[in-house]
Amino acid sequence: MVFNTMDTEAAKNYRKKKIEEIGKMTALNQDEIVSNTKTVIQGLDTLKNDYQQILNTLLNSIKTIKRENGDTNLVEEKTNILQRSLETIELGLGEGQVMMDLSNYLQKIEAEKQKLRAQVRRLCQENGWLRDELATTQQKLQVSEQRVATLEEEKKHLEFMNEMKKFDDSDGHSSVPNEEKESEAPSQLDDLGFNDPDDDQSPEVLSPSQPSAMAHAASGGYEIPARLRTLHNLVIQYASQGRYEVAVPLCKQALEDLEKTSGHDHPDVATMLNILALVYRDQGKYKEAANLLNDALNIREKTLGPDHPAVAATLNNLAVLYGKRGKYKEAEPLCKRALEIREKVLGKDHPDVAKQLNNLALLCQNQGKYEEVEQYYQRALEIYEGKLGPDDPNVAKTKNNLASAYLKQGKYKQAEVLYKEVLTRAHEKEFGKVEGENKTIWMRAEEREENKGKNKDKEGGPPLPEYGGWHKNIKVDSPTVTTTLKNLGALYRRQGKYEAAETLEECAMKSKKNKLDSNGKHEKSKLLVSSQHNKQ
């Protein structure tokens, strides 16, 4: 049997070509090397199968030639060549498999390297955080060391006040100031902790609560017992001054003593929890304050009943926290439940119900529920006017709030009517009925707007009308009226009435300046009296 030697030459050329390709692989990247290695392995495996078939054919030919007593030297030579080629191919396949295993191992090593790099980055971040934490802790340590001396003096003062508590318990005389006594009555309602629409103060600015507001919010309609009055007043005094480092330990110590003597589920414990919660609220620790208020709410519901005014006050305080954090949806049901309690206990036409309606309107306004906002404000307005009269400050404030809600809806005409009602009532209260030349500031502003063009057309014409008595005297300087002046001025400016807008804005600025000057004089007089008292 004769074999074509061209097959062997083609195999050699194929192998030579693959070897050259393998040589080029040294200039490739890892992925390309692996891909080419797989291709080479497939080619070698195919070549191996071809050679194996040829070898089997040659072996069979040798057997046939031997039976025929022929010469087998040439066939055996070719057989040896094929066997050596197969061995070489086997070696190549083995080396290719080694390369594949090495590639898999390198991939695992690369994955481990990436993990280690991620760990290194995380450790570097944690190191930076720890350094920042250390720096902050060092600063706090320095501040704490500076306060140690002050706390020692406060401790002596507290020891003296604890001795005074014995006299409070024995004679039953109250040491609560008149302003705080009045705030403990159920007729007072703590407003929400975020700004009304007519409030100029930034909602992000935290400031200590006023003593009267904190006193009422803490008691919530529950009369402070004699054994807590002195401590209650001290905590409120320190908290209102922003001295939280003294107020907080006082509250915690009082809570510990009360729980030992009266148990956790006692109204007095709820009162102290409310006080501590309000201190935390002023510090911006809303989570801790919410936990304390929820605890106080549970205690008051158990001990005082679910419809007690103190429960309504605690619910409102919770709404304060949610309002400060912008969680208006969570605050709304709390405010509604407080409203239901006040309506049930005090009646639907009580002024406290109107205050709660104002709070609820603020929550709805922040959620864009303007239809409900209008209903709540209008109902509150009816209660204020019916129970407290048209000159009560809450009437002007509620009208201004309702007008702000109208503005946000684009109802400029309704807002303008309310602003003018507020300014007209304030004018009549100071200067009497509006008639003749006794005109309100907004009437003067509109006159100046109307005459502006005439005076420009006529050179040397009569001067613009004066503002009137209000502008000269600036007697009406309540924050709500001042805000109303600015709001109506902004509305005029939106309507293109720039002269009228400037008139009201100038009046508002002078009113605010006079108020600041009067406050400065009042503070100087207080300092003078204090210095004279110290000399005595």
Side-chain angles (χ1 to χ4, degrees), residues 294-320:
N294 279 307
D295 194 7
L297 179 63
N298 292 331
I299 295 173
R300 284 179 165 173
E301 286 178 332
K302 289 178 184 177
T303 57
L304 304 176
D307 295 331
H308 195 277
V311 174
T314 309
L315 289 166
N316 198 60
N317 288 341
L318 274 172
V320 169

Side-chain angles (χ1 to χ4, degrees), residues 130-144:
L130 289 174
R131 288 180 181 276
D132 294 341
E133 191 70 23
L134 177 60
T136 304
T137 304
Q138 289 176 340
Q139 292 177 356
K140 290 180 179 179
L141 178 60
Q142 292 176 357
V143 173
S144 298

Side-chain angles (χ1 to χ4, degrees), residues 22 28 31 48 71 112 149 193 276 298 335 339 413 433 440 450:
I22 292 173
L28 304 177
D31 293 335
K48 173 187 172 183
D71 186 7
E112 290 295 330
L276 183 55
N298 292 331
C335 207
L339 176 63
K413 190 63 180 178
K433 185 178 179 180
T440 63
E450 292 174 2

Side-chain angles (χ1 to χ4, degrees), residues 139-152:
Q139 292 177 356
K140 290 180 179 179
L141 178 60
Q142 292 176 357
V143 173
S144 298
E145 289 174 349
Q146 292 172 359
R147 292 177 176 173
V148 167
T150 304
L151 290 176
E152 289 294 332

Side-chain angles (χ1 to χ4, degrees), residues 1 33 59 110 222 227 229 287 321 344 407 428 533:
M1 185 176 180
I33 291 172
L59 291 174
E110 184 65 23
Y222 178 78
R227 62 174 176 168
R229 284 173 187 157
K287 185 177 180 180
L321 294 177
K344 185 175 181 180
L407 281 179
E428 290 177 342
H533 177 72

Side-chain angles (χ1 to χ4, degrees), residues 30 99-111:
Q30 183 177 339
M99 290 182 69
M100 295 300 296
D101 294 339
L102 181 61
S103 174
N104 293 334
Y105 178 75
L106 289 175
Q107 288 178 352
K108 292 181 181 178
I109 293 295
E110 184 65 23

Side-chain angles (χ1 to χ4, degrees), residues 183-189 215-224 271 300 304 308-314 342 352:
S183 67
E184 289 170 7
S187 61
Q188 295 294 325
L189 174 63
H216 164 68
S219 62
Y222 178 78
E223 185 178 357
I224 302 295
T271 299
R300 284 179 165 173
L304 304 176
H308 195 277
V311 174
T314 309
R342 295 187 189 279
D352 283 1

Side-chain angles (χ1 to χ4, degrees), residues 353-364:
V353 173
K355 289 183 179 180
Q356 195 71 51
L357 285 166
N358 265 294
N359 292 349
L360 189 54
L362 283 173
L363 289 172
C364 292

